[in-house]
Amino acid sequence: MSPAGSGGPRVVVIGAGIVGCSLADELTSRGWTDVTVLEQGPLPAPGGSTSHAPGLVFRTGPSRTMTEFAKYTVEKFGSLEVDGLPCFHAVGGLELATTPERWADLHRKAGLAASWGVRAELVGPGRCKELWPLIDAGQVHGGLYTPDDGLARAVPACRAQIERARARGARFLDRHTVTGIERDGDRVTAVVTDRDTFPADHVVSAAGFWGPVIGRMAGVDVPLLPLAHQYARTAPLPELAGAKHPRTEASLPILRHQDRDLYFREHVDRLGIGSYAHRPLPVDPFAVPAFDDAEDMPSSYPFTEDDFAPSWEDCRRLIPALRTTEIAEGFNGVFSFTPDGMPVLGESRALRGFWLAEAVWVTHSAGVARAVAEWMVEGRSSLDPHACELTRFEDAQRSPAYVAERGARQFVEVYDVIHPLQPLDQPRPLRVSPFYGRQRELGAFFLEGGGWERPHWYEANAALAEDIAVPERDAWAARYWSPIAAAEARATRERVALYDMTPLRRLEVAGPGALAFLQRMTSNNLAKRPGSVTYTLLLDESGGICSDLTVARLAPDRFQVGANSPADLDRLLRHAPADVHVRDITSGTCCVGVWGPLARALVQPLTHDDFSHQAFGYFKAKETCVGHVPVTAMRLSYVGELGWELYTSADLGLRLWDTLWEAGRELGVVAAGRSAFNSLRLEKGYRAWGHDMTAEHHPYEAGVGFAVRMDKGDFVGRAALRALEDRPPERRLTPLLLDDPAAVVLGKEPVYVDGVPAGYVTSAAYGYTLGRCVAYAWLPPLEAGAGVGIEYFGEKVPATVADEPVFDPEMTRIRR
């Protein structure tokens, strides 16, 4: 949208908590100064989550994007002052381990800190005692000290940003309760309050746990669950008296005792204690009292002492000084959880111009505001937001029951040691392929993704693994893994295996303008004969990789698109012209990958069509029948072996599986899972979007420049790529082979070059064909043969830069 005037488009932000105030500051700093922030309570502390937030900022976590959000929050709030005091106090952070499992996890977290560029130090019990003299060091195995973490003063930060945004032209109106959202067709036009109506080109819901209320007015689903969280303050402690400057609340690091779901911070001579150890306490956002009707503030509920009692005993065990004092006051503060614990950001396609900036804690507030402001003003965020986009949830993950169950579980597990593959237990099973019954009969071990049950290996193949020497794994790497994966990988390389590829997203793009539309939206040349399949990229205007797609032209005006996430569907629907129809066909279809050197021997007798290499070449598609089942067959291989992806309708899926299974018995066919699949695809160097590359990366540095055809005509991102063609990349997605055949890494570990952290691992898996672990990492350009070190639980694991692909570089196995 073009700016409506000299101050840019008219923007209405709903909510003047820390997110709304930060967003107004970020927007006005970028020249969008026609900004109105509406707040139902009084400023500057209107009674939402910001008004009671304890302000702890620990930046390090598994998500690089969330860490970057938190780093920017620290940087920005550290530059703001109110009444002569900074809005961020870098007292440091200290996470304690009182169990061996937590101590090991802190080693892993130290690696994450190094990967994301956060200063962190593992310290022993004595140093923990020096940093926090009140603890009983006898209970402590060690700690993770992050000297630049600390306390954000949320309400003062709001004040400072309100002043800056007002100086640029923004207005902040409190005591305005939103009662409706107006629209004209599919575009937002105004926000209605109990006092006035405010025309708008863009509306941003930054309403915190009231997000579902605003969303309902707009007809936009907001998958968010408000929960109450206990926070208590002790009576004054003599041990804390006189230790600080009169105007400074804290001098000790903020403390986390995650083994008991507790955190601590100073309030001058008292301790504030937060607990996640209690039962989930959901709050209905539609029943929260107004500011003037609340006993204290709308986000503050009465303290439930019985829930806190076990935590109080844990506090006293860790901090002996608490044994002679009591809790002076407490409350249950309301804040937001989503099914996956991440924020909900982005513009709704159902109501253009209506944006969400919800489920954001103070820790990430300024970083999120910057990302959303960039997104609104420039069309993209400089940080990859895909894990936070509102489009990420499947329809099956949006039901109120799902949001409530998963949101509550996120609260319970907020401080748990979570393995990167660990699924939530309920509700499962939710989405299953037509082969699910057969998979269970074969002893499938299922993990979950996007609501789908995904087999990772099959116990039926256990006997095949008995003669395969697989290095033993440490306890962490052995979780959600089995040596059976090695047998399934070998069967794929030597015979033939069936893979359930149903959860991979499938779109149909059809209509007279389908080819021109896809040519404009993607990077490769799709103007090929029907029956052709093309690997291509969805780029943004800066050349960033928004997704990678496999596009099959099945007819002159009909394409089947293999995509990654609901965001791909959303992007195509946003731009599709009237003569193009885009629809998601995933749930009504299914797919079996038939891969291995005997794949042709399995499939050819089941069809009247010629499946020879000459008649059915690589990256070709054909609509045919396998036995009694009509299928769309595509000669693709994500594992680097001969084979086909066979697609059919969901009602015929079981028949397709049984047909292939019976025909494959004499060939030694096996069912194989995602664990073997991931190993095989990394041996071939095949990228996984969202892990190995995102919108922060362009094709040439990510090693997928072959999917760009600059001579095909204009496409999204082409101008940006033109400027990059002759510029040597400053970083590359780099293949690494671990030197020790027994060593493994799992992903997100820091990579050291000449002893200095230089990048991080994106994907890793043991390459059973190679007898080495394969890892891909973002690193400065390095020559093949260069040595690096990957930090795994505090140990530097030697690795060597490899040429790619490390397996079958001549591509002979998939082209036979």
Side-chain angles (χ1 to χ4, degrees):
M1 172 178 289
S2 300
S6 59
R10 297 165 299 180
V11 180
V12 174
V13 178
I14 302 172
I18 191 63
V19 178
C21 293
S22 297
L23 180 58
D25 183 50
E26 295 289 336
L27 285 171
T28 55
S29 73
R30 288 168 172 77
W32 281 22
T33 57
D34 191 351
V35 175
T36 301
V37 182
L38 302 175
E39 174 53 58
Q40 62 184 342
L43 291 173
S49 301
T50 299
S51 300
H52 66 68
L56 282 67
V57 177
F58 282 90
R59 294 165 297 164
T60 304
S63 166
R64 176 179 170 274
T65 296
M66 295 297 280
T67 297
E68 291 296 328
F69 286 162
K71 287 166 65 176
Y72 182 73
T73 300
V74 168
E75 175 188 331
K76 182 175 186 181
F77 290 0
S79 70
L80 300 176
E81 285 192 358
V82 172
D83 299 331
L85 292 176
C87 294
F88 179 79
H89 191 188
V91 293
L94 179 62
E95 301 182 52
L96 298 180
T98 59
T99 64
E101 182 184 27
R102 181 71 61 181
W103 184 225
D105 187 59
L106 291 186
H107 282 75
R108 183 175 68 93
K109 188 170 284 187
L112 290 171
S115 289
W116 314 146
V118 175
R119 282 205 306 159
E121 177 187 2
L122 289 164
V123 295
R127 178 61 174 151
C128 290
K129 180 74 171 178
E130 290 177 12
L131 292 165
W132 238 86
L134 276 64
I135 65 169
D136 176 4
Q139 297 188 36
V140 175
H141 289 259
L144 180 67
Y145 176 50
T146 47
D148 303 318
D149 289 341
L151 294 168
R153 301 170 63 235
V155 173
C158 286
R159 286 177 56 194
Q161 293 178 103
I162 288 171
E163 291 175 7
R164 296 195 336 176
R166 277 179 173 160
R168 302 185 190 111
R171 57 178 175 166
F172 290 75
L173 303 177
D174 61 3
R175 298 294 190 172
H176 280 63
T177 299
V178 174
T179 59
I181 306 292
E182 293 186 348
R183 63 193 298 163
D184 181 7
D186 67 348
R187 282 213 65 89
V188 70
T189 59
V191 176
V192 182
T193 75
D194 56 351
R195 298 175 63 174
D196 204 348
T197 296
F198 298 87
D201 302 304
H202 295 274
V203 174
V204 185
S205 177
F209 61 80
W210 284 284
V213 178
I214 302 301
R216 180 176 294 183
M217 296 178 192
V220 175
D221 183 39
V222 182
L224 175 161
L225 177 69
L227 287 156
H229 159 60
Q230 291 198 300
Y231 193 78
R233 295 193 192 200
T234 68
L237 295 173
E239 292 83 354
L240 297 178
K244 289 163 284 297
H245 186 278
R247 301 181 71 196
T248 303
E249 282 191 278
S251 58
L252 297 176
I254 46 177
L255 182 71
R256 288 207 281 195
H257 181 24
Q258 292 170 296
D259 289 319
R260 290 295 181 267
D261 296 310
L262 292 165
Y263 63 82
F264 304 84
R265 59 152 293 179
E266 292 172 279
H267 293 280
V268 188
D269 60 350
R270 303 167 185 254
L271 280 185
I273 305 167
S275 171
Y276 292 99
H278 56 85
R279 62 195 167 95
L281 299 167
V283 172
D284 181 357
F286 295 88
V288 174
F291 187 91
D292 294 327
D293 298 329
E295 183 175 332
D296 181 14
M297 64 177 78
S299 62
S300 178
Y301 279 62
F303 192 61
T304 49
E305 294 182 3
D306 289 346
D307 287 315
F308 194 73
S311 291
W312 181 233
E313 292 307 311
D314 289 331
C315 294
R316 289 176 153 184
R317 276 191 287 272
L318 180 68
I319 303 173
L322 299 181
R323 297 169 189 170
T324 58
T325 190
E326 299 295 337
I327 294 298
E329 58 184 354
F331 65 95
N332 291 357
V334 184
F335 64 138
S336 306
F337 282 81
T338 59
D340 59 4
M342 301 289 279
V344 182
L345 312 177
E347 183 189 22
S348 168
R349 180 174 45 82
L351 183 57
R352 302 292 180 93
F354 183 81
W355 296 75
L356 296 179
E358 300 290 11
V360 182
W361 296 4
V362 172
T363 301
H364 310 103
S365 55
V368 163
R370 178 179 67 170
V372 174
E374 290 174 337
W375 209 339
M376 294 174 70
V377 176
E378 302 164 22
R380 69 182 296 273
S381 166
S382 57
L383 285 173
D384 166 50
H386 83 270
C388 306
E389 288 191 51
L390 65 94
T391 55
R392 72 186 182 274
F393 294 111
E394 306 282 350
D395 290 343
Q397 298 172 305
R398 291 180 172 273
S399 71
Y402 186 95
V403 173
E405 192 165 356
R406 287 288 176 99
R409 193 64 198 167
Q410 288 293 332
F411 178 91
V412 170
E413 294 183 349
V414 69
Y415 277 175
D416 287 1
V417 176
I418 302 295
H419 193 277
L421 294 176
Q422 182 174 331
L424 291 170
D425 294 332
Q426 297 296 332
R428 290 181 65 193
L430 184 62
R431 307 176 77 186
V432 298
S433 77
F435 329 127
Y436 181 66
R438 296 291 186 263
Q439 292 165 343
R440 293 187 64 185
E441 291 170 3
L442 293 170
F445 180 86
F446 293 98
L447 295 179
E448 184 246 21
W452 287 100
E453 294 296 318
R454 300 184 176 207
H456 273 241
W457 66 82
Y458 294 84
E459 290 296 330
N461 298 322
L464 300 177
E466 292 176 356
D467 65 340
I468 300 177
V470 180
E472 290 189 11
R473 294 194 171 201
D474 63 90
W476 184 255
R479 292 182 67 182
Y480 307 105
W481 172 83
S482 169
I484 294 172
E488 295 173 2
R490 174 189 279 184
T492 308
R493 292 280 188 236
E494 296 180 355
R495 300 190 305 278
V496 62
L498 304 184
Y499 288 82
D500 180 2
M501 305 303 290
T502 300
L504 298 185
R505 183 166 304 279
R506 291 171 293 285
L507 310 177
E508 182 183 78
V509 180
L515 175 60
F517 169 62
L518 288 173
Q519 285 283 75
R520 165 68 182 159
M521 292 298 295
T522 73
S523 64
N524 211 334
N525 187 13
L526 307 180
K528 302 173 183 176
R529 295 178 183 176
S532 297
V533 182
T534 306
Y535 177 80
T536 188
L537 307 171
L538 274 177
L539 306 177
D540 61 26
E541 293 289 354
S542 72
I545 305 170
C546 296
S547 189
D548 62 344
L549 309 175
T550 303
V551 180
R553 192 176 191 185
L554 302 180
D557 59 356
R558 179 167 61 90
F559 297 79
Q560 181 171 311
V561 178
N564 285 296
S565 77
D568 298 343
L569 173 64
D570 185 81
R571 180 176 290 268
L572 293 177
L573 285 171
R574 284 178 185 272
H575 295 91
D579 63 348
V580 176
H581 304 285
V582 181
R583 67 188 183 103
D584 191 327
I585 61 173
T586 310
S587 297
T589 56
C590 60
C591 178
V592 182
V594 184
W595 290 314
L598 300 182
R600 184 176 288 114
L602 194 163
V603 176
Q604 183 63 81
L606 301 174
T607 179
H608 292 293
D609 282 295
D610 187 352
F611 271 54
S612 69
H613 181 64
Q614 293 73 22
F616 197 159
Y618 191 53
F619 266 81
K620 299 297 181 183
K622 185 177 294 188
E623 292 182 308
T624 182
C625 288
V626 170
H628 295 90
V629 181
V631 302
T632 300
M634 297 187 197
R635 184 147 173 219
L636 305 173
S637 177
Y638 206 52
V639 299
E641 294 293 333
L642 171 68
W644 289 266
E645 293 178 357
L646 302 177
Y647 298 88
T648 191
S649 56
D651 59 325
L652 291 168
L654 185 58
R655 183 60 178 262
L656 175 62
W657 180 278
D658 287 346
T659 299
L660 294 168
W661 188 258
E662 282 301 315
R665 283 183 182 275
E666 64 182 25
L667 302 174
V669 71
V670 304
R674 297 284 298 184
S675 187
F677 177 88
N678 201 43
S679 169
L680 297 169
R681 71 103 179 164
L682 279 169
E683 288 184 330
K684 283 300 295 178
Y686 293 148
R687 277 62 167 148
W689 184 86
H691 295 277
D692 300 316
M693 57 190 187
T694 70
E696 292 184 31
H697 309 110
H698 65 73
Y700 306 124
E701 62 187 359
V704 289
F706 62 87
V708 175
R709 291 291 181 268
M710 298 294 288
D711 58 355
K712 73 161 186 171
D714 196 23
F715 58 88
V716 176
R718 183 177 183 274
L721 293 187
R722 177 67 73 193
L724 293 170
E725 272 187 312
D726 300 322
R727 185 186 307 170
E730 296 179 0
R731 59 183 178 179
R732 292 186 185 276
L733 187 60
T734 305
L736 305 173
L737 285 177
L738 274 62
D739 295 349
D740 182 352
V744 295
V745 297
L746 301 181
K748 301 186 179 180
E749 296 89 356
V751 182
Y752 289 74
V753 178
D754 296 328
V756 178
Y760 58 92
V761 174
T762 59
S763 295
Y766 197 84
Y768 300 108
T769 317
L770 302 170
R772 292 283 193 283
C773 184
V774 184
Y776 272 76
W778 281 105
L779 291 169
L782 297 170
E783 295 294 328
V788 301
I790 304 175
E791 183 177 312
Y792 183 72
F793 285 92
E795 299 292 330
K796 299 294 192 303
V797 180
T800 301
V801 174
D803 286 316
E804 63 173 342
V806 292
F807 175 78
D808 188 26
E810 302 301 321
M811 305 288 282
T812 57
R813 299 176 69 92
I814 58 178
R815 298 182 183 275
R816 51 188 170 185

